[in-house]
Amino acid sequence: MAVKGFCAGLIGAALLAAAGTAAAEVPARGIKVGVLTDLSGVYTDLVGQGSIEAAKMAVEDFGGSIDGKPITIVSADGQNKADVGASIARRWIDEDNVDVIVDVPNTAIALAVQEITRAKNKVLLNTGAGSTVFTNKACSPTSFHWVYDSYAMANGTARSVVAEGGDSWYFLTADYTFGQSLERDASEVVRANGGKVLGSVRHPLGSSDFSSFLLQAQASGAKVIAFANGGADLINSIKQAHEFGIGSDKQRLAAMVIFITDIHALGLAQAQGLLLTSGFYWDMDAQNRAWSERWAKRMGGRKPTMLHAGVYSAVLHFLRSAKAANSVEGNVVADKMRELPIDDFFARNGSIRPDGRMIHDMYLAQVKTPAESKGPWDYLKIVRTIPAAEAFQPLSRSECPLVKK
């Protein structure tokens, strides 16, 4: 009886092991990538169809399949509403067999989706939302923060502006998690470098009239009026600042997060001289130009933002990791993603920390004057490279429970 029981136990263990192996394999249906983006709101130029095309390019460059199993892309508009984005994510995972969600350019949506992917053991590639909360208290073992965050952007730009004499600040801030996070991180950098923050005013997402907010900022007497917002809100607030004559030598304008599409919309006459931090510039070198020209042909000639480049990089790394792990299980692929090196045109010196933050070199840049620009989209000059270890919040300060202290 003991021998029979022992043999039965071995057979049972073997069957369980076989079942576990089968469950871990990439299924016959292949892999499905969900691009949850903004196709109709304030961030559509930053992400939108461009993110969908970037994800498609990553799939194509990977080869379109894994061991003959197809890789497909689905996409949807989150409408900058957490309930809408969460509903899409649940349907994708529960009904449509989506294995990984990417982009998510809204902090409220991204936080909701991160909790869903955590519970469902799916991977989230956050390339669009910028709050540092994702790799702090809200961190998840299957979520990754790819392109930028509020700390990296504030650390690069605010430090440089203070060093140039901009030592008193007033913030015009988008009234939601990302804007608040950006203001908080930039304020910390300003104070740490000897400056002071005189105050702030907050505006709703998608505002059209910034006059009262700008007049409050002007009345503060601060040397720097800093915009802790993004997309159409940033463009409109800077345009209206110029209409009020704000941004003269006495009060400098500083954009904490600004993208090349924002500069294109503003025009060099209004954007010239702005210092900014970016993880990517299309014309920085031959690698970036080559990828950007491919992307531009699919997008009517315009040039990609760092978010578009980040979508490509994140999706490609996920696919490489899924193939290496022979799995679409979130925790299995996530472990492999942390293990494999990242070195592509976007992620120079890239690696993934225990908190899910993908660190890579960032760049301090300045917007060219109209005279310096050689043509459309020739907008930036790189001032310096910010090494990966310097660019992002130190791991020692992380509040993520996945980080061993």
Side-chain angles (χ1 to χ4, degrees):
M1 290 294 293
V3 174
K4 288 182 180 179
F6 177 71
C7 291
L10 286 177
I11 294 170
L15 289 173
L16 285 173
T21 302
E25 291 179 353
V26 175
R29 62 173 173 80
I31 290 178
K32 190 172 286 188
V33 179
V35 183
L36 184 54
T37 190
D38 180 359
L39 293 168
S40 58
V42 296
Y43 303 127
T44 185
D45 286 342
L46 310 181
V47 285
Q49 187 61 40
S51 289
I52 297 169
E53 293 302 321
K56 289 179 179 178
M57 289 171 67
V59 171
E60 291 164 10
D61 288 353
F62 183 77
S65 64
I66 291 181
D67 299 326
K69 301 167 184 176
I71 304 168
T72 55
I73 300 283
V74 296
S75 60
D77 183 358
Q79 301 177 33
N80 287 309
K81 297 176 181 177
D83 57 340
V84 173
S87 177
I88 291 168
R90 286 194 189 93
R91 186 186 74 246
W92 274 354
I93 294 171
D94 292 342
E95 301 175 19
D96 300 335
N97 294 317
V98 167
D99 300 294
V100 56
I101 297 175
V102 66
D103 201 5
V104 204
N106 177 293
T107 294
I109 295 177
L111 283 170
V113 172
Q114 181 156 295
E115 291 310 303
I116 294 168
T117 54
R118 184 204 306 268
K120 302 288 186 179
N121 193 28
K122 298 294 182 180
V123 170
L124 171 63
L125 304 173
N126 172 14
T127 57
S131 174
T132 53
V133 68
F134 295 102
T135 51
N136 280 284
K137 290 182 178 179
C139 71
S140 165
T142 60
S143 295
F144 300 93
H145 203 172
W146 215 257
V147 180
Y148 75 113
D149 59 34
S150 52
Y151 180 94
M153 303 303 274
N155 184 45
T157 305
R159 179 184 295 182
S160 299
V161 173
V162 173
E164 292 184 353
D167 57 4
S168 62
W169 288 55
Y170 191 94
F171 287 89
L172 195 152
T173 303
D175 193 13
Y176 75 114
T177 306
F178 171 63
Q180 295 161 18
S181 177
L182 192 57
E183 178 189 327
R184 181 181 63 251
D185 290 337
S187 297
E188 182 179 307
V189 173
V190 170
R191 294 186 182 107
N193 287 274
K196 55 186 176 181
V197 177
L198 302 185
S200 67
V201 62
R202 293 178 177 176
H203 68 82
L205 182 67
S207 296
S208 58
D209 184 1
F210 292 88
S211 56
S212 65
F213 309 121
L214 289 165
L215 290 173
Q216 289 180 64
Q218 185 181 41
S220 72
K223 292 180 182 178
V224 179
I225 297 175
F227 298 99
N229 55 10
D233 284 341
L234 173 65
I235 294 166
N236 290 332
S237 54
I238 291 179
K239 284 183 175 179
Q240 290 176 36
H242 281 283
E243 291 171 5
F244 281 100
I246 302 172
S248 63
D249 293 337
K250 293 182 179 180
Q251 284 188 309
R252 182 174 185 177
L253 303 181
M256 294 295 92
V257 176
I258 188 168
F259 297 86
I260 193 169
T261 46
D262 302 325
I263 297 167
H264 187 74
L266 285 166
L268 290 181
Q270 294 192 50
Q272 62 182 310
L274 281 173
L275 284 170
L276 61 101
T277 303
S278 183
F280 166 85
Y281 177 50
W282 75 270
D283 198 27
M284 189 178 77
D285 58 25
Q287 274 186 294
N288 286 10
R289 280 191 293 274
W291 185 85
S292 298
E293 291 300 331
R294 290 174 54 208
W295 184 92
K297 288 179 181 179
R298 306 165 78 120
M299 292 297 299
R302 67 189 183 98
K303 294 301 188 287
T305 67
M306 66 174 172
L307 303 185
H308 298 135
V311 167
Y312 175 94
S313 174
V315 170
L316 189 60
H317 188 65
F318 171 86
L319 294 175
R320 287 171 173 166
S321 301
K323 180 176 176 61
N326 191 27
S327 177
V328 293
E329 296 295 319
N331 59 329
V332 176
V333 182
D335 287 346
K336 186 60 68 173
M337 288 179 69
R338 287 182 170 88
E339 175 188 329
L340 295 181
I342 308 165
D343 187 15
D344 54 36
F345 74 90
F346 171 79
R348 313 292 170 91
N349 302 315
S351 62
I352 298 174
R353 303 190 314 195
D355 59 353
R357 174 70 261 176
M358 194 280 278
I359 63 170
H360 55 97
D361 292 347
M362 298 286 285
Y363 308 95
L364 182 68
Q366 186 170 33
V367 180
K368 292 182 176 181
T369 66
E372 291 173 319
S373 176
K374 298 177 182 178
W377 302 101
D378 178 27
Y379 296 153
L380 300 181
K381 48 189 176 185
I382 303 299
V383 176
R384 76 178 183 96
T385 297
I386 306 171
E390 176 189 329
F392 295 92
Q393 184 182 62
L395 195 58
S396 60
R397 293 179 54 190
S398 176
E399 299 174 273
C400 172
L402 300 173
V403 176
K404 295 179 181 179
K405 298 295 186 179

